[in-house]
Amino acid sequence: LFGQLNELEESVGALPVNSNLGKLLETLKYYIKMTDLTEAQHEILDLKIDKIKNQDIADYINKKYDKSYTANYISTIFRQKIIPRINETAEFHAKVIENLSFPENFKKCVRCRKVLLIDSEKFVRKSRSKDGFSTRCKICDRKDR
């Protein structure tokens, strides 16, 4: 799907806005945007979507970020880091949606005030706490340290 994203986007122009393919592409773009990737990983993804060869991507990334990636490592980053992270983002979003009817499964970070799903991905475990998690989200906890 990633290799054909640009072609699919062009096809969507001819499809009704509310078509299934159009919705699928918008959902994919949303999860790509919401996924926590490094700047280099975002560029690798964009270049892969544009069907640029791995060697050309490696040359570009090596020059821009002072790396020494090979074409094989670009493929590894794409398949073993970027795609799984996008999948994890979508899976976590599904978990949030499943819990929307259960406000007791959410908690507000005392520092940033965001309401987040009580989960080990978002909060540090703290055994002495009533719900078993810290009062600060992981992002705020990292900032404070």
Side-chain angles (χ1 to χ4, degrees):
L1 183 62
F2 282 104
Q4 299 172 0
L5 187 59
N6 286 340
E7 291 171 17
L8 288 172
E9 284 183 309
E10 291 170 13
S11 300
V12 170
L15 296 171
V17 176
N18 60 355
S19 71
N20 287 338
L21 182 56
K23 290 176 184 176
L24 175 65
L25 288 173
E26 288 306 312
T27 302
L28 179 58
K29 286 181 192 177
Y30 171 80
Y31 287 123
I32 288 171
K33 187 173 116 183
M34 297 306 294
T35 301
D36 184 25
L37 298 174
T38 66
E39 188 178 334
Q41 289 171 336
H42 270 292
E43 289 204 53
I44 290 169
L45 177 59
D46 290 341
L47 294 167
K48 292 289 280 182
I49 288 170
D50 289 338
K51 296 184 179 181
I52 307 298
K53 293 180 182 175
N54 286 344
Q55 186 58 56
D56 295 336
I57 296 172
D59 294 342
Y60 172 77
I61 296 294
N62 291 341
K63 186 176 181 180
K64 183 170 182 179
Y65 296 98
D66 195 31
K67 302 283 186 185
S68 56
Y69 294 166
T70 64
N72 284 341
Y73 191 56
I74 294 297
S75 180
T76 299
I77 291 170
F78 181 70
R79 292 181 183 278
Q80 294 182 9
K81 293 185 179 184
I82 296 171
I83 291 176
R85 283 203 184 139
I86 294 168
N87 289 337
E88 288 166 9
T89 300
E91 287 171 7
F92 188 77
H93 189 240
K95 199 172 175 181
V96 169
I97 290 170
E98 289 170 3
N99 284 283
L100 283 177
S101 299
F102 305 100
E104 65 274 11
N105 293 343
F106 292 86
K107 166 179 199 162
K108 186 184 284 189
C109 172
V110 295
R111 187 167 183 264
C112 69
R113 312 301 290 164
K114 288 182 183 175
V115 176
L116 303 165
L117 182 66
I118 299 174
D119 184 270
S120 59
E121 282 188 45
K122 297 295 179 188
F123 289 94
V124 176
R125 289 202 177 271
K126 187 174 182 182
S127 60
R128 292 185 215 153
S129 168
K130 186 169 99 175
D131 61 12
F133 292 93
S134 172
T135 57
R136 293 178 303 190
C137 68
K138 280 189 173 181
I139 293 170
C140 291
D141 193 57
R142 277 188 222 119
K143 288 177 185 175
D144 287 349
R145 281 194 227 161

